[in-house]
Amino acid sequence: MNKQLMGVINLIHEPDELEALTAGRCLATVPFGARYRLIDFTLSSMVNSGISKVAVFAHTKYRSLMDHVGSGRHWDLHNRQSGLFILPPIADDMSDLRKGDLYHFFQHRDYFMRSQADYVVIARSHMICNIDLSAVLEDHLARGADITVVCKKQDDHLSGKARKVKLDPDGRVIAMQDHYGRLQSDLVSMEMYVMKKDLLLDLVETSLAQGQDHLVRHAIMSRLDQLQVNGYLYNGYLGIINTITSYYRNSMQLLKPEIWRELFFEPGPIYTKVKDEPPACYLEGGKTSNSLIANGCVIEGTVINSILFRGVKVNKGAVVRNSIVMQNGEIGIGSSIDHVILDKEVQIEAGRDIRGVTDSPFIAVKRKVI
Amino acid sequence: MVRKEMMAMLLAGGEGKRLGVLTKDLAKPAVHFGGKYRIIDFTLSNCTHSGIDTVGVLTQYQPLVLNQYLGIGSPWGLDRRYGGMSVLPPYVKSKGGTWYKGTANAIYQNMGFIDRYDPEYVLIISGDHIYKMNYDLMLQHHKKKGADVTIAVFEVPWKEASRFGIMSVDDNGGITEFREKPKVPDSNLASMGVYIFSWPVLQQYLLRDEANKQSSNDFGKDIIPAMLTDGVKLNAYPFQGYWKDVGTIESLWEANMDLLSEMPQLDLYDKDWRIYSVNPNRPAQYISPQAEVTESLITEGCFIEGKVHRSVLFYGVEAGEGTFIHESVIMPGVKIGKGARIYRAIVGEGAVIEEGMTVGSLDGKDITVVASDEYIGMNQALQEVE
């Protein structure tokens, strides 16, 4: 157990350009990888790093979040003393929701004070990775940093948007800019920050008192000269998921065996809310190739280069190519879809032909009948 | 406390001798079935769906895996403040303890447990069978008929009747005769090992049976015949649907294959009657570009690069390129090397089949069994020396 480190998953103002996929849910609960939600990766990484106390700062559209994480049981976070806390905004009216994360941290400062942990790691839900955070803390302590930010070298970031970071030869952050900035650097921030809890509380109060209310943009970026902010280089697989293109491309990455084996197993398994779905059933006449199939699927048609979530039915003669079909979707007899993302419970009737393209997949909203 | 109308006692101590190496370190109810389940999941899920929230699970033989699997019953919704699941192994009393001598003795030893809930009816079931049944409907039947005992019966083919406990029934459903494995059966109604007893009646017979030193303390052999002799009101409850005793290698294999027929009698996909189980946390299964999967059930965490036909694969099975799995049951975490062939076999949990090996044969009559964690490869001897 890593008693000295507590986890915060910060969902406040997460950059979200997932269009229809986040129409009724927050980014953290967007389904991903045939049976997961985005937040599962951060949650599991924290738990696998020995963290037993995790707070999720919910912001908007968080009904799906509460439903998904529940008591934290599926991540073994339902223990007596610590466990999982969902901290929704404490707002007098809707205008308070617009305020930055520091404001919301301030409103919940009691939560931080009550915790026994000395250190805190603040993370987001849209950085898909499997990371050992205790190694980050070790590095943080060894190098005597005030703040350690996890960075990743990105040659091709599959269209996800992330802050750019520039390090000096000693690994100290000398510049940091939002994704649209002109900073020349191949490093991006994974939006995971480790620091002393006391420093965080100090930053919260000092920054708010100076009229600043964003943790990274204000509190950290404007203090790069006063605080020693170090970069920690992460070498594993990273998917930055905040645009439709990046969602689609990163999903398709999962069809590469080496990425499947790494992201879901190393250094620890990714946990999610379990469902009592039976095994997937491959019927006579069906054909499946290069695909990721979840339990509960029934395949009588053809599935190629695709990702099927739990309980999807592909009827006789239907062809699913390069597509993502979420939970309980159904593809009617003889229909064909290509480069399509179907949200949960979408029904494609018999004989349809629907196509998108790689950079702009066709998206059907939840429960749509086509 | 609210009185429990009916509670269940689930006999899960079965040794399952006829399953050979599959039950070497495992009680029969904990044997894997159907791609992700264990046999006991079916009866436990039946309890949940029948509204029974108090279940005593009687364990005895090789209970370690089973105990760990059952936990506090959360997967079946049986982690309750009052009631819920209790695992009941034999225990040491002040005058010494004994093993459960028979099915009836197991209940006798736990009469104190049952009395804590003061039930009107006790349902006795076993964790050895695969079926979906609503015990509440059976209880309604029991009450309507004003019976003291109701026994669920199932029509078996006449030629197989001599393998079962067979009931003769009058026009009213009253049981007139009960014969354990009769050579010449005069009925084809087999007992499913599912009994509802009015608790005071059962209590009385358990005490009497225990006092009788000649008794083998078994429901089928002692309690039911004694009740019949005394004219206790025993009724049959006819059950229609899928029911299978998976006590032998052949029947276990068959029951798995039954799931692969076009319209399986046992519907695992019924959303109103989910079979609950401990869910392994594994990513979705990966089917590679070279893979060919037909008429099969495959579970999460599998990594398939070969050909799979008419087979059931449990979670975490890896089948390399060029493998061929035909009419087989592959239990969790089995690794199958490139080009290996498996025909008509049951491969136990965690076994390793090396590259190019062959297990079983296409036209073989018998089902080949590979034990859990067994290693099958060219340098098998070498491995054993290590």
Side-chain angles (χ1 to χ4, degrees), chain A residues 33-36 73-74 255 257 260-261 264-265 270-272 274-284 286 288-298 310 328, chain B residues 34-37 74-75 262 268-269 271 274-277 279-289 291-303 305 318:
Chain A
R35 62 192 290 273
Y36 302 92
R73 189 159 69 88
H74 300 294
L255 299 179
W260 185 88
R261 287 187 197 276
F264 295 124
F265 295 100
I270 303 300
Y271 304 102
T272 190
V274 299
K275 302 232 161 88
D276 288 280
E277 289 283 355
C281 179
Y282 298 80
L283 293 167
E284 200 183 345
T288 309
S289 157
N290 195 36
S291 293
L292 210 50
I293 313 288
N295 273 1
C297 287
V298 178
R310 292 182 274 207
N328 296 331
Chain B
K36 72 174 282 201
Y37 310 100
S74 316
E262 201 160 335
L268 297 175
Y269 293 80
K271 288 203 158 80
R274 277 267 182 260
I275 307 303
Y276 303 119
S277 66
N279 284 272
N281 225 310
R282 304 289 178 118
Q285 53 205 272
Y286 175 72
I287 310 292
S288 88
E292 245 178 81
V293 184
T294 45
E295 296 176 64
S296 294
L297 291 184
I298 300 192
T299 314
E300 283 164 350
C302 285
F303 195 93
E305 294 177 284
E318 300 205 9

